Amino acid sequence: MKAVCWHGASDVRVETVPDPKILNPRDAILKVTATTICGSDLHIYDGYIPSMQAGDIMGHEFMGEVVEVGSAVRKLKRGDRVVVSSIIGCGQCHFCSQQQWSLCDNSNPNGWMQEPLFGYSTSGIFGYSHLFGGYAGSFAEYIRIPFADHGAIRVPSEIPDEKILPLSDAFPTGYMGADFCNIQPGQTVAVWGAGPVGQFAMLSARMMGAERVFAIDRVPERLVLAQEFAKAEPINYEEVDAGEALKELTGGRGPDACIDAVGLEAHGMGLEGFYDRAKQAVRLETDRPHVLRQMMVACRKGGTLSVMGVYSGFIDKVPMGAAFNKGLTIRMGQMYGQKYIPKLVEMVERGEVDPAQVFTHQLPLEQTKQGFEMFKHKQDKCIKVLLKP
Ligand SMILES: [Zn+2]
Ligand SMILES: [Zn+2]
């Protein structure tokens, strides 16, 4: 089959690789009908995620048609159309039973690699390095789905791919980001990053009762989409100081909750941004925590920070004093896809939300490299690229 393989920073190639096979009785094989580049794929593309190996197939946000099931698969059959959680969960361990799917004890065969770094291992993720299980990703014609009864969620055939595809990752991630904020009616929520996850976080915050939502970004078309999609109020951090603007817009109190939908490659401004870029370049710091720092200072006293942008290693110069003395609650993590996706499918079915609005481009799988460049540099007003195998 055709697949997009990683060969180093900014080096992805379309290659012919062996078709996936059923390896365990609970596996299914899926024909991928649509997949998409996620912001966190950019961290791999840019070489910031350790333990990638040349030839690894990338991609973790996808949907398709079941073509084969293992002997222990109960809920799925050949021909089913499904969307698949980017997070792999066994459905039986302590954490999966608590609906904390990305903390699964059994889905990461390379847990030993994580333990020295994280203390305990987390779940596997499709196409997301050997640290996260070394699973083949979705930028391919076919993919193997482990624990398929839990990860693959059936979707109605009449809804087009582009409305369902973001439910694999971007939408549940944004939804969880808002859910973590425990939003009360009338509250204000500030979201850093108006990319796809940020858009879904803003929309979800609104659905959960937020009265005002602020979108912080520097790309004009992403701020425009935030206004249309989530009725958010735009703050362009290249034009104004985001912290000062938020203080003013909230009557001097600060937003009740702040969501980080950016993560480890944040563009810091001024001296502090330079410091992080320099340290990251020589690997003295793996992640650039600019958004985290700003949120800790900008959030109101007693507020909540919800971190959905991916961090992978170490950060520096975090204003812990601000977070501690202001009594902030900090919640974070890879998304609990299997917990949220069924609910989101129902919302799309009822026509309450149209996730397709985040897609600006569609390309054949052969042009994945162009897709990455376009997405990374926000060329041609690119917000999200759908790839067709
Ligand atoms: Zn993702
Ligand atoms: Zn589990």
Side-chain angles (χ1 to χ4, degrees):
M1 67 168 183
K2 261 183 325 195
V4 177
C5 301
W6 184 90
H7 283 273
S10 303
D11 184 1
V12 297
R13 304 175 198 165
V14 179
E15 293 178 334
T16 302
V17 302
D19 286 355
K21 286 195 188 76
I22 299 274
L23 299 180
N24 295 302
R26 296 166 70 190
D27 289 351
I29 304 292
L30 200 74
K31 181 183 193 320
V32 180
T33 55
T35 180
T36 171
I37 302 173
C38 169
S40 62
D41 290 318
L42 278 184
H43 307 322
I44 293 181
Y45 184 74
D46 290 339
Y48 290 118
I49 303 291
S51 82
M52 284 296 289
Q53 292 172 13
D56 285 348
I57 303 173
M58 292 183 67
H60 60 264
E61 193 165 1
F62 63 103
M63 60 184 298
E65 190 192 314
V66 175
V67 290
E68 197 184 344
V69 293
S71 58
V73 171
R74 295 287 167 261
K75 294 187 200 158
L76 300 171
K77 59 177 191 321
R78 220 186 130 98
D80 280 347
R81 180 172 184 246
V82 295
V83 62
V84 182
S85 170
S86 59
I87 298 290
I88 304 169
C90 75
Q92 288 174 332
C93 72
H94 170 79
F95 296 98
C96 288
S97 348
Q98 310 274 325
Q99 295 272 50
Q100 294 172 314
W101 295 83
S102 60
L103 311 182
C104 177
D105 267 337
N106 295 323
S107 62
N108 185 350
N110 296 336
W112 62 271
M113 290 170 81
Q114 285 192 345
E115 278 165 17
L117 267 175
F118 299 165
Y120 301 90
S121 72
T122 66
S123 76
I125 304 178
F126 291 102
Y128 212 76
S129 84
H130 292 264
L131 202 53
F132 290 90
Y135 290 99
S138 61
F139 296 169
E141 290 176 287
Y142 297 91
I143 184 169
R144 177 176 76 94
I145 316 294
F147 309 111
D149 275 338
H150 298 288
I153 292 115
R154 258 203 306 271
V155 292
S157 55
E158 64 276 10
I159 307 175
D161 280 2
E162 58 273 22
K163 282 188 193 250
I164 292 291
L165 180 57
L167 276 59
S168 169
D169 187 25
F171 194 177
T173 303
Y175 193 86
M176 175 158 128
D179 194 24
F180 273 3
C181 297
N182 189 25
I183 297 166
Q184 305 300 312
Q187 287 195 327
T188 55
V189 178
V191 178
W192 272 257
V197 169
Q199 300 287 345
F200 286 115
M202 291 180 233
L203 182 74
S204 304
R206 276 250 174 249
M207 296 191 296
M208 291 172 198
E211 187 169 303
R212 295 178 78 184
V213 172
F214 305 104
I216 301 149
D217 206 296
R218 61 173 183 168
V219 181
E221 51 273 18
R222 304 216 296 187
L223 290 169
V224 168
L225 181 63
Q227 286 170 275
E228 290 166 1
F229 189 59
K231 310 226 169 357
E233 298 168 53
I235 297 174
N236 186 329
Y237 68 80
E238 279 186 339
E239 288 167 5
V240 295
D241 179 284
E244 285 303 314
L246 285 169
K247 186 178 269 187
E248 205 157 290
L249 288 161
T250 55
R253 192 163 75 160
D256 297 296
C258 297
I259 299 175
D260 175 355
V262 178
L264 64 88
E265 286 186 79
H267 293 271
M269 301 281 277
L271 196 60
E272 179 200 318
F274 175 75
Y275 171 87
D276 285 325
R277 280 194 300 277
K279 286 200 81 168
Q280 194 178 41
V282 294
R283 296 296 190 265
L284 281 172
E285 180 179 49
T286 55
D287 303 355
R288 299 196 299 254
H290 179 70
V291 168
L292 211 51
R293 291 183 190 128
Q294 221 176 31
M295 293 202 314
M296 284 178 170
V297 176
C299 191
R300 78 148 158 89
K301 291 180 281 184
T304 301
L305 308 186
S306 167
V307 183
M308 290 295 120
V310 168
Y311 290 83
S312 71
F314 299 90
I315 56 173
D316 220 345
K317 300 264 188 294
V318 169
M320 194 61 189
F324 174 78
N325 288 294
K326 283 161 66 188
L328 302 183
T329 298
I330 308 180
R331 298 198 65 185
M332 61 188 108
Q334 298 276 5
M335 62 119 186
Y336 306 149
Q338 293 82 337
K339 173 180 180 183
Y340 295 108
I341 295 170
K343 186 190 313 195
L344 301 181
V345 170
E346 285 172 22
M347 284 182 195
V348 174
E349 257 189 292
R350 290 196 298 264
E352 292 167 11
V353 46
D354 176 11
Q357 283 178 267
V358 297
F359 288 111
T360 48
H361 293 76
Q362 183 173 322
L363 293 173
L365 194 66
E366 289 79 2
Q367 289 176 30
T368 301
K369 167 93 181 161
Q370 288 93 311
F372 266 110
E373 287 298 312
M374 198 185 248
F375 182 48
K376 178 179 172 177
H377 300 291
K378 283 105 183 162
Q379 292 159 351
D380 193 30
K381 304 195 170 177
C382 177
I383 292 175
K384 197 163 174 66
V385 185
L386 187 148
L387 298 169
K388 279 271 175 198

